[in-house]
Amino acid sequence: MSTAIPKVINEEAQPPDRSVEGPENVGQTQPVKILIGIVGMVAVVWFLANLFLAFSYYPEWFGHKIVIGLLAIVGGVGGAAVLFFFLNMFVEGLPGRLSQGVIPYVFLFPGLFFVALMLIYPTFQTINYSFANSDSTAYVGLQNYQTIFGDSEFRQSIVNNILWLLIVPAVVVAFGVVVAVLSDKLSAGGEKLAKSLIFLPMAISAVSASAIWLLIYAYNNPGQEQIGLLNAIWTGLGGSPQVWLQIETAKLNSILLMVILIWLQAGFAMVLLSSAIKGVPEDTLEAARIDGASEFQIFWQVVIPQIKGTIITVFVTVFITVLKIFDIVYVTTNGSYGTNVIANLFFNKLFAASEAGQATAIVVVLLIAVIPLIWYQIRHFRNEEANR
Protein backbone atom coordinates (compact mmCIF):
# COMPACT_ATOMS: atom_id res chain seq x y z
CA MET A 1 0.00 0.00 0.00
CA SER A 2 2.81 2.36 0.81
CA THR A 3 4.31 1.97 -2.67
CA ALA A 4 1.02 2.08 -4.62
CA ILE A 5 0.00 5.50 -3.44
CA PRO A 6 3.13 7.34 -4.66
CA LYS A 7 2.81 5.49 -7.96
CA VAL A 8 -0.73 6.81 -8.53
CA ILE A 9 0.31 10.29 -7.47
CA ASN A 10 3.22 10.27 -9.84
CA GLU A 11 1.05 9.11 -12.70
CA GLU A 12 -1.51 11.85 -12.05
CA ALA A 13 1.17 14.49 -11.65
CA GLN A 14 2.69 13.78 -15.02
CA PRO A 15 1.89 16.59 -17.53
CA PRO A 16 -0.26 15.57 -20.47
CA ASP A 17 1.50 14.78 -23.69
CA ARG A 18 0.86 17.76 -25.98
CA SER A 19 3.03 16.57 -28.81
CA VAL A 20 -0.08 15.40 -30.66
CA GLU A 21 -3.11 17.73 -30.70
CA GLY A 22 -5.57 15.24 -32.08
CA PRO A 23 -6.65 13.79 -35.38
CA GLU A 24 -7.16 17.22 -36.96
CA ASN A 25 -3.66 18.42 -36.02
CA VAL A 26 -4.98 21.56 -34.36
CA GLY A 27 -2.38 24.33 -34.36
CA GLN A 28 -0.50 22.97 -37.35
CA THR A 29 -0.46 24.28 -40.89
CA GLN A 30 -3.26 22.88 -43.04
CA PRO A 31 -2.27 23.42 -46.70
CA VAL A 32 -5.59 22.16 -48.03
CA LYS A 33 -7.57 24.82 -46.17
CA ILE A 34 -5.11 27.51 -47.23
CA LEU A 35 -5.35 26.48 -50.87
CA ILE A 36 -9.17 26.28 -50.82
CA GLY A 37 -9.37 29.64 -49.08
CA ILE A 38 -7.12 31.38 -51.62
CA VAL A 39 -8.83 29.82 -54.64
CA GLY A 40 -12.27 30.60 -53.20
CA MET A 41 -11.44 34.26 -52.51
CA VAL A 42 -9.98 34.74 -55.98
CA ALA A 43 -13.04 33.11 -57.55
CA VAL A 44 -15.48 35.26 -55.54
CA VAL A 45 -13.65 38.49 -56.38
CA TRP A 46 -13.50 37.51 -60.07
CA PHE A 47 -17.20 36.64 -60.13
CA LEU A 48 -18.29 39.87 -58.41
CA ALA A 49 -16.10 42.00 -60.65
CA ASN A 50 -17.59 40.41 -63.75
CA LEU A 51 -21.11 40.68 -62.34
CA PHE A 52 -20.86 44.43 -61.84
CA LEU A 53 -19.06 44.94 -65.15
CA ALA A 54 -21.97 43.18 -66.84
CA PHE A 55 -24.17 46.16 -65.90
CA SER A 56 -22.18 48.27 -68.35
CA TYR A 57 -21.52 45.73 -71.09
CA TYR A 58 -25.03 44.23 -71.25
CA PRO A 59 -27.50 47.03 -70.43
CA GLU A 60 -30.28 45.24 -72.33
CA TRP A 61 -30.14 42.43 -69.74
CA PHE A 62 -29.17 44.34 -66.61
CA GLY A 63 -30.54 47.80 -67.40
CA HIS A 64 -33.73 47.56 -65.35
CA LYS A 65 -33.50 49.28 -61.96
CA ILE A 66 -35.16 46.41 -60.09
CA VAL A 67 -32.72 43.90 -61.60
CA ILE A 68 -29.78 46.14 -60.74
CA GLY A 69 -31.00 46.52 -57.17
CA LEU A 70 -31.59 42.80 -56.65
CA LEU A 71 -28.23 41.82 -58.14
CA ALA A 72 -26.47 44.48 -56.08
CA ILE A 73 -28.05 43.16 -52.89
CA VAL A 74 -27.48 39.49 -53.70
CA GLY A 75 -24.03 40.04 -55.12
CA GLY A 76 -22.95 42.55 -52.49
CA VAL A 77 -24.29 40.92 -49.33
CA GLY A 78 -24.03 37.32 -50.51
CA GLY A 79 -20.66 37.89 -52.13
CA ALA A 80 -19.28 39.46 -48.95
CA ALA A 81 -20.54 36.49 -46.89
CA VAL A 82 -18.93 33.96 -49.23
CA LEU A 83 -15.73 35.98 -49.40
CA PHE A 84 -15.42 36.04 -45.60
CA PHE A 85 -16.19 32.31 -45.50
CA PHE A 86 -13.18 31.53 -47.67
CA LEU A 87 -11.13 34.15 -45.85
CA ASN A 88 -11.93 32.42 -42.55
CA MET A 89 -10.97 29.06 -44.06
CA PHE A 90 -7.63 30.52 -45.17
CA VAL A 91 -6.93 31.88 -41.68
CA GLU A 92 -7.86 28.56 -40.04
CA GLY A 93 -5.31 26.81 -42.24
CA LEU A 94 -2.45 28.88 -40.85
CA PRO A 95 -0.41 27.71 -37.82
CA GLY A 96 -2.27 28.22 -34.54
CA ARG A 97 -0.30 31.14 -33.14
CA LEU A 98 -0.07 32.92 -36.48
CA SER A 99 -3.79 32.34 -37.12
CA GLN A 100 -4.79 33.92 -33.81
CA GLY A 101 -2.47 36.86 -34.41
CA VAL A 102 -3.64 37.80 -37.89
CA ILE A 103 -7.39 37.24 -37.45
CA PRO A 104 -8.19 40.88 -36.46
CA TYR A 105 -6.10 42.33 -39.27
CA VAL A 106 -7.37 39.94 -41.93
CA PHE A 107 -11.03 40.59 -41.22
CA LEU A 108 -10.51 44.35 -40.91
CA PHE A 109 -8.49 44.55 -44.12
CA PRO A 110 -11.45 44.56 -46.60
CA GLY A 111 -13.14 47.40 -44.74
CA LEU A 112 -9.92 49.39 -44.41
CA PHE A 113 -9.13 48.77 -48.07
CA PHE A 114 -12.45 50.22 -49.23
CA VAL A 115 -12.13 53.15 -46.82
CA ALA A 116 -8.70 53.88 -48.30
CA LEU A 117 -10.01 53.43 -51.84
CA MET A 118 -13.15 55.53 -51.44
CA LEU A 119 -11.98 58.18 -48.95
CA ILE A 120 -8.23 58.45 -48.42
CA TYR A 121 -7.13 58.16 -52.05
CA PRO A 122 -9.71 60.71 -53.32
CA THR A 123 -8.63 63.08 -50.54
CA PHE A 124 -5.01 63.11 -51.66
CA GLN A 125 -6.09 63.28 -55.29
CA THR A 126 -8.26 66.32 -54.51
CA ILE A 127 -5.33 68.05 -52.82
CA ASN A 128 -3.24 67.27 -55.88
CA TYR A 129 -5.84 68.71 -58.29
CA SER A 130 -6.14 71.89 -56.23
CA PHE A 131 -2.74 72.90 -57.61
CA ALA A 132 -3.80 72.26 -61.24
CA ASN A 133 -5.65 74.32 -63.84
CA SER A 134 -9.36 74.25 -64.65
CA ASP A 135 -9.23 70.91 -66.48
CA SER A 136 -6.47 69.35 -64.31
CA THR A 137 -4.00 69.06 -67.20
CA ALA A 138 -1.21 71.30 -65.86
CA TYR A 139 0.00 72.54 -62.50
CA VAL A 140 -0.46 76.23 -61.68
CA GLY A 141 0.94 76.29 -58.15
CA LEU A 142 -0.97 78.40 -55.64
CA GLN A 143 -2.90 80.34 -58.26
CA ASN A 144 -6.23 78.65 -57.41
CA TYR A 145 -5.89 79.57 -53.74
CA GLN A 146 -4.99 83.15 -54.64
CA THR A 147 -8.03 83.35 -56.90
CA ILE A 148 -10.58 82.03 -54.40
CA PHE A 149 -9.30 84.14 -51.51
CA GLY A 150 -9.43 87.18 -53.76
CA ASP A 151 -13.03 86.40 -54.76
CA SER A 152 -15.68 88.41 -52.88
CA GLU A 153 -18.17 85.55 -53.32
CA PHE A 154 -15.80 83.17 -51.50
CA ARG A 155 -15.30 85.65 -48.67
CA GLN A 156 -19.07 86.09 -48.39
CA SER A 157 -19.46 82.32 -48.24
CA ILE A 158 -16.91 82.15 -45.42
CA VAL A 159 -18.84 84.79 -43.48
CA ASN A 160 -22.11 82.93 -44.04
CA ASN A 161 -20.58 79.64 -42.91
CA ILE A 162 -19.31 81.30 -39.74
CA LEU A 163 -22.79 82.73 -39.15
CA TRP A 164 -24.30 79.25 -39.58
CA LEU A 165 -21.73 77.81 -37.18
CA LEU A 166 -22.41 80.41 -34.51
CA ILE A 167 -26.19 80.08 -34.59
CA VAL A 168 -27.36 76.61 -35.64
CA PRO A 169 -25.44 74.26 -33.27
CA ALA A 170 -26.16 76.44 -30.23
CA VAL A 171 -29.87 76.76 -31.05
CA VAL A 172 -30.21 73.04 -31.83
CA VAL A 173 -28.61 72.04 -28.53
CA ALA A 174 -30.63 74.58 -26.54
CA PHE A 175 -33.89 73.54 -28.21
CA GLY A 176 -33.04 69.85 -27.72
CA VAL A 177 -32.40 70.36 -24.00
CA VAL A 178 -35.59 72.35 -23.51
CA VAL A 179 -37.76 69.82 -25.35
CA ALA A 180 -36.10 66.89 -23.54
CA VAL A 181 -36.68 68.45 -20.11
CA LEU A 182 -40.25 69.59 -20.77
CA SER A 183 -41.33 66.34 -22.43
CA ASP A 184 -40.08 64.39 -19.42
CA LYS A 185 -42.62 66.29 -17.31
CA LEU A 186 -45.51 64.97 -19.41
CA SER A 187 -47.38 61.73 -18.97
CA ALA A 188 -46.04 58.65 -20.74
CA GLY A 189 -48.45 59.06 -23.67
CA GLY A 190 -47.88 62.81 -23.93
CA GLU A 191 -44.12 62.36 -23.84
CA LYS A 192 -44.19 59.83 -26.68
CA LEU A 193 -46.45 62.04 -28.79
CA ALA A 194 -44.37 65.18 -28.24
CA LYS A 195 -41.08 63.43 -28.97
CA SER A 196 -42.50 61.75 -32.05
CA LEU A 197 -43.63 65.07 -33.51
CA ILE A 198 -40.26 66.71 -32.82
CA PHE A 199 -38.34 63.74 -34.22
CA LEU A 200 -40.54 63.37 -37.31
CA PRO A 201 -38.54 65.79 -39.54
CA MET A 202 -35.51 63.49 -39.16
CA ALA A 203 -37.35 60.99 -41.35
CA ILE A 204 -37.19 63.24 -44.42
CA SER A 205 -34.22 64.46 -46.42
CA ALA A 206 -32.89 67.99 -46.41
CA VAL A 207 -34.11 68.41 -49.99
CA SER A 208 -37.65 67.47 -49.00
CA ALA A 209 -37.48 69.77 -45.98
CA SER A 210 -36.33 72.61 -48.21
CA ALA A 211 -39.28 72.03 -50.54
CA ILE A 212 -41.65 72.12 -47.58
CA TRP A 213 -40.19 75.38 -46.29
CA LEU A 214 -40.29 76.94 -49.75
CA LEU A 215 -44.07 76.55 -49.47
CA ILE A 216 -43.97 78.19 -46.05
CA TYR A 217 -41.95 81.11 -47.47
CA ALA A 218 -44.06 81.33 -50.67
CA TYR A 219 -45.05 84.80 -51.88
CA ASN A 220 -47.99 86.16 -53.88
CA ASN A 221 -48.56 89.72 -54.96
CA PRO A 222 -50.51 92.02 -52.60
CA GLY A 223 -54.26 91.50 -52.91
CA GLN A 224 -53.87 87.84 -53.86
CA GLU A 225 -54.43 84.94 -51.50
CA GLN A 226 -51.21 84.13 -49.69
CA ILE A 227 -50.64 80.38 -49.85
CA GLY A 228 -47.37 80.65 -47.95
CA LEU A 229 -47.88 80.09 -44.23
CA LEU A 230 -45.51 82.86 -43.15
CA ASN A 231 -47.03 85.46 -45.44
CA ALA A 232 -50.54 84.33 -44.46
CA ILE A 233 -49.70 84.98 -40.81
CA TRP A 234 -47.87 88.21 -41.64
CA THR A 235 -50.73 89.66 -43.70
CA GLY A 236 -53.22 88.46 -41.10
CA LEU A 237 -51.43 90.63 -38.57
CA GLY A 238 -51.78 93.63 -40.87
CA GLY A 239 -48.45 93.54 -42.69
CA SER A 240 -47.79 93.45 -46.41
CA PRO A 241 -46.55 90.22 -48.00
CA GLN A 242 -42.77 89.82 -48.07
CA VAL A 243 -40.56 88.06 -50.62
CA TRP A 244 -38.85 85.89 -48.04
CA LEU A 245 -35.33 84.65 -48.87
CA GLN A 246 -34.92 87.67 -51.17
CA ILE A 247 -34.84 90.37 -48.50
CA GLU A 248 -32.26 93.13 -48.89
CA THR A 249 -30.68 92.11 -45.59
CA ALA A 250 -28.59 89.13 -46.72
CA LYS A 251 -27.97 87.84 -43.20
CA LEU A 252 -31.71 87.58 -42.57
CA ASN A 253 -32.03 85.44 -45.69
CA SER A 254 -29.39 83.10 -44.28
CA ILE A 255 -31.15 82.98 -40.92
CA LEU A 256 -34.37 81.94 -42.64
CA LEU A 257 -32.45 79.04 -44.21
CA MET A 258 -30.95 78.12 -40.84
CA VAL A 259 -34.47 77.59 -39.51
CA ILE A 260 -34.81 74.63 -41.89
CA LEU A 261 -31.72 72.87 -40.52
CA ILE A 262 -32.69 73.62 -36.93
CA TRP A 263 -36.10 72.07 -37.63
CA LEU A 264 -34.37 68.97 -39.02
CA GLN A 265 -31.73 68.51 -36.32
CA ALA A 266 -33.80 69.34 -33.23
CA GLY A 267 -35.15 65.77 -33.04
CA PHE A 268 -31.64 64.31 -33.17
CA ALA A 269 -30.52 66.53 -30.28
CA MET A 270 -33.68 65.82 -28.30
CA VAL A 271 -33.30 62.03 -28.47
CA LEU A 272 -29.69 62.00 -27.27
CA LEU A 273 -30.16 64.65 -24.60
CA SER A 274 -33.38 63.09 -23.31
CA SER A 275 -31.60 59.77 -22.92
CA ALA A 276 -28.76 61.50 -21.06
CA ILE A 277 -31.15 63.33 -18.74
CA LYS A 278 -32.99 60.09 -17.91
CA GLY A 279 -29.59 58.60 -17.04
CA VAL A 280 -28.91 61.19 -14.33
CA PRO A 281 -29.00 59.34 -10.97
CA GLU A 282 -32.16 60.11 -9.03
CA ASP A 283 -30.15 60.14 -5.79
CA THR A 284 -28.31 63.31 -6.82
CA LEU A 285 -31.58 65.06 -7.65
CA GLU A 286 -33.17 64.07 -4.33
CA ALA A 287 -30.07 65.17 -2.43
CA ALA A 288 -30.23 68.58 -4.11
CA ARG A 289 -33.92 68.93 -3.25
CA ILE A 290 -33.23 68.01 0.39
CA ASP A 291 -30.55 70.70 0.47
CA GLY A 292 -33.18 73.23 -0.58
CA ALA A 293 -32.20 73.73 -4.21
CA SER A 294 -34.90 74.96 -6.56
CA GLU A 295 -35.75 73.09 -9.76
CA PHE A 296 -33.95 75.76 -11.77
CA GLN A 297 -30.81 75.33 -9.64
CA ILE A 298 -31.06 71.54 -9.92
CA PHE A 299 -31.26 71.82 -13.67
CA TRP A 300 -28.23 74.10 -14.07
CA GLN A 301 -26.01 72.82 -11.24
CA VAL A 302 -26.86 69.10 -11.15
CA VAL A 303 -28.37 67.96 -14.45
CA ILE A 304 -26.35 70.02 -16.94
CA PRO A 305 -22.90 69.08 -15.50
CA GLN A 306 -23.82 65.39 -15.66
CA ILE A 307 -24.93 65.53 -19.30
CA LYS A 308 -22.07 67.76 -20.41
CA GLY A 309 -20.47 64.96 -22.43
CA THR A 310 -23.65 64.37 -24.44
CA ILE A 311 -24.11 68.09 -25.01
CA ILE A 312 -20.58 68.35 -26.41
CA THR A 313 -21.17 65.32 -28.64
CA VAL A 314 -24.40 66.75 -30.06
CA PHE A 315 -22.86 70.19 -30.51
CA VAL A 316 -19.80 68.92 -32.39
CA THR A 317 -21.89 66.58 -34.58
CA VAL A 318 -24.25 69.40 -35.59
CA PHE A 319 -21.25 71.70 -36.00
CA ILE A 320 -19.67 69.37 -38.57
CA THR A 321 -23.03 68.99 -40.34
CA VAL A 322 -23.40 72.77 -40.57
CA LEU A 323 -19.87 73.17 -41.90
CA LYS A 324 -20.75 70.90 -44.82
CA ILE A 325 -24.23 72.37 -45.43
CA PHE A 326 -25.12 72.34 -49.12
CA ASP A 327 -28.49 70.88 -50.09
CA ILE A 328 -30.68 73.38 -48.24
CA VAL A 329 -28.92 76.35 -49.83
CA TYR A 330 -28.83 74.74 -53.28
CA VAL A 331 -32.54 73.86 -53.35
CA THR A 332 -33.84 77.16 -51.95
CA THR A 333 -31.64 79.97 -53.33
CA ASN A 334 -28.60 78.33 -54.96
CA GLY A 335 -26.49 80.90 -53.13
CA SER A 336 -28.33 83.96 -54.45
CA TYR A 337 -29.32 86.98 -52.34
CA GLY A 338 -26.22 86.73 -50.17
CA THR A 339 -26.88 83.18 -48.91
CA ASN A 340 -24.01 81.26 -50.50
CA VAL A 341 -21.91 78.84 -48.44
CA ILE A 342 -18.63 77.06 -49.14
CA ALA A 343 -20.07 73.72 -50.23
CA ASN A 344 -22.56 75.32 -52.64
CA LEU A 345 -19.84 77.57 -54.05
CA PHE A 346 -17.73 74.48 -54.69
CA PHE A 347 -20.60 72.81 -56.54
CA ASN A 348 -21.20 75.83 -58.77
CA LYS A 349 -17.50 76.27 -59.48
CA LEU A 350 -17.13 72.63 -60.51
CA PHE A 351 -20.31 71.99 -62.49
CA ALA A 352 -21.53 75.44 -63.59
CA ALA A 353 -18.24 77.27 -64.16
CA SER A 354 -16.14 74.16 -65.02
CA GLU A 355 -13.33 75.40 -62.78
CA ALA A 356 -12.08 72.14 -61.31
CA GLY A 357 -8.90 73.71 -59.91
CA GLN A 358 -10.72 76.40 -57.93
CA ALA A 359 -13.42 73.94 -56.86
CA THR A 360 -10.89 71.50 -55.40
CA ALA A 361 -9.07 74.36 -53.69
CA ILE A 362 -12.36 75.30 -51.99
CA VAL A 363 -12.80 71.69 -50.89
CA VAL A 364 -9.28 71.62 -49.42
CA VAL A 365 -10.09 74.75 -47.41
CA LEU A 366 -13.24 73.04 -46.12
CA LEU A 367 -11.25 69.90 -45.31
CA ILE A 368 -8.70 71.88 -43.30
CA ALA A 369 -11.55 73.51 -41.37
CA VAL A 370 -13.17 70.14 -40.55
CA ILE A 371 -10.03 68.27 -39.42
CA PRO A 372 -9.65 70.02 -36.01
CA LEU A 373 -13.30 69.30 -35.22
CA ILE A 374 -12.97 65.62 -36.10
CA TRP A 375 -9.79 65.39 -34.02
CA TYR A 376 -11.55 67.03 -31.07
CA GLN A 377 -14.52 64.68 -31.42
CA ILE A 378 -12.27 61.61 -31.42
CA ARG A 379 -10.36 62.85 -28.39
CA HIS A 380 -13.62 63.59 -26.60
CA PHE A 381 -14.91 60.06 -27.25
CA ARG A 382 -11.67 58.56 -25.97
CA ASN A 383 -11.81 60.63 -22.80
CA GLU A 384 -15.40 59.58 -22.18
CA GLU A 385 -14.49 55.90 -22.63
CA ALA A 386 -11.50 56.29 -20.30
CA ASN A 387 -13.65 57.88 -17.58
CA ARG A 388 -16.24 55.09 -17.57
Side-chain angles (χ1 to χ4, degrees):
M1 293 294 293
S2 61
T3 58
I5 294 175
K7 182 177 180 181
V8 173
I9 294 175
N10 289 337
E11 288 178 354
E12 292 180 351
Q14 289 178 356
D17 185 8
R18 298 185 183 274
S19 59
V20 179
E21 293 289 347
E24 295 182 0
N25 295 324
V26 178
Q28 298 182 7
T29 304
Q30 301 179 50
V32 176
K33 278 192 172 184
I34 294 177
L35 180 61
I36 294 176
I38 294 175
V39 173
M41 286 188 290
V42 172
V44 171
V45 172
W46 177 85
F47 173 77
L48 291 178
N50 282 276
L51 175 64
F52 289 108
L53 285 175
F55 294 156
S56 300
Y57 291 135
Y58 304 103
E60 65 276 9
W61 294 352
F62 301 99
H64 198 280
K65 293 182 179 180
I66 296 178
V67 176
I68 293 175
L70 290 175
L71 288 178
I73 294 173
V74 174
V77 179
V82 176
L83 178 65
F84 276 101
F85 172 79
F86 285 111
L87 182 61
N88 183 67
M89 184 177 294
F90 168 77
V91 173
E92 287 180 345
L94 299 175
R97 182 173 297 179
L98 178 61
S99 175
Q100 294 298 320
V102 301
I103 278 179
Y105 303 99
V106 169
F107 281 91
L108 285 174
F109 175 76
L112 295 177
F113 171 77
F114 283 108
V115 167
L117 181 64
M118 302 297 180
L119 293 178
I120 298 177
Y121 171 73
T123 298
F124 285 101
Q125 194 71 334
T126 300
I127 296 173
N128 178 45
Y129 285 152
S130 70
F131 299 103
N133 58 7
S134 59
D135 55 359
S136 304
T137 56
Y139 287 105
V140 294
L142 297 175
Q143 181 178 334
N144 292 321
Y145 291 95
Q146 294 173 355
T147 302
I148 63 173
F149 280 104
D151 184 9
S152 60
E153 185 73 12
F154 178 77
R155 295 196 297 269
Q156 179 66 48
S157 300
I158 293 289
V159 172
N160 288 339
N161 266 101
I162 293 174
L163 191 65
W164 279 74
L165 295 173
L166 291 176
I167 295 176
V168 175
V171 174
V172 167
V173 170
F175 192 76
V177 171
V178 170
V179 173
V181 171
L182 295 180
S183 61
D184 286 344
K185 305 295 183 181
L186 302 174
S187 62
E191 179 183 0
K192 291 179 181 179
L193 178 61
K195 289 183 175 179
S196 298
L197 293 176
I198 298 297
F199 188 79
L200 192 60
M202 287 289 295
I204 63 177
S205 66
V207 174
S208 301
S210 301
I212 292 172
W213 280 85
L214 280 176
L215 294 176
I216 295 176
Y217 293 142
Y219 165 83
N220 280 334
N221 293 324
Q224 297 180 343
E225 182 182 0
Q226 299 298 322
I227 61 172
L229 177 62
L230 190 55
N231 267 325
I233 296 174
W234 186 254
T235 55
L237 295 175
S240 58
Q242 301 292 323
V243 187
W244 307 106
L245 303 181
Q246 299 180 26
I247 302 173
E248 294 181 1
T249 306
K251 290 183 175 56
L252 181 57
N253 294 331
S254 294
I255 291 175
L256 292 174
L257 297 183
M258 295 177 200
V259 172
I260 303 175
L261 187 59
I262 293 170
W263 182 66
L264 284 172
Q265 294 292 319
F268 163 75
M270 175 205 64
V271 169
L272 294 185
L273 293 170
S274 178
S275 176
I277 291 173
K278 288 182 179 296
V280 174
E282 191 66 27
D283 296 344
T284 60
L285 303 179
E286 292 299 330
R289 292 189 181 98
I290 292 174
D291 290 339
S294 64
E295 292 298 321
F296 184 79
Q297 291 174 323
I298 292 173
F299 174 73
W300 281 107
Q301 299 179 19
V302 179
V303 175
I304 292 296
Q306 295 191 66
I307 64 171
K308 179 182 177 181
T310 306
I311 291 176
I312 293 175
T313 299
V314 173
F315 185 90
V316 173
T317 304
V318 178
F319 198 94
I320 295 174
T321 301
V322 171
L323 197 57
K324 301 181 296 181
I325 191 65
F326 160 72
D327 33 20
I328 292 176
V329 177
Y330 179 74
V331 171
T332 52
T333 64
N334 196 22
S336 301
Y337 315 109
T339 61
N340 215 355
V341 291
I342 294 177
N344 190 69
L345 181 62
F346 151 75
F347 181 87
N348 288 330
K349 284 286 186 182
L350 182 60
F351 295 103
S354 298
E355 288 286 350
Q358 295 180 30
T360 51
I362 293 171
V363 170
V364 172
V365 172
L366 184 61
L367 175 65
I368 294 173
V370 170
I371 286 176
L373 297 172
I374 296 176
W375 173 79
Y376 175 80
Q377 182 78 315
I378 293 174
R379 192 183 69 169
H380 173 66
F381 282 143
R382 288 178 176 175
N383 291 339
E384 280 195 334
E385 291 294 329
N387 293 330
R388 289 184 178 179

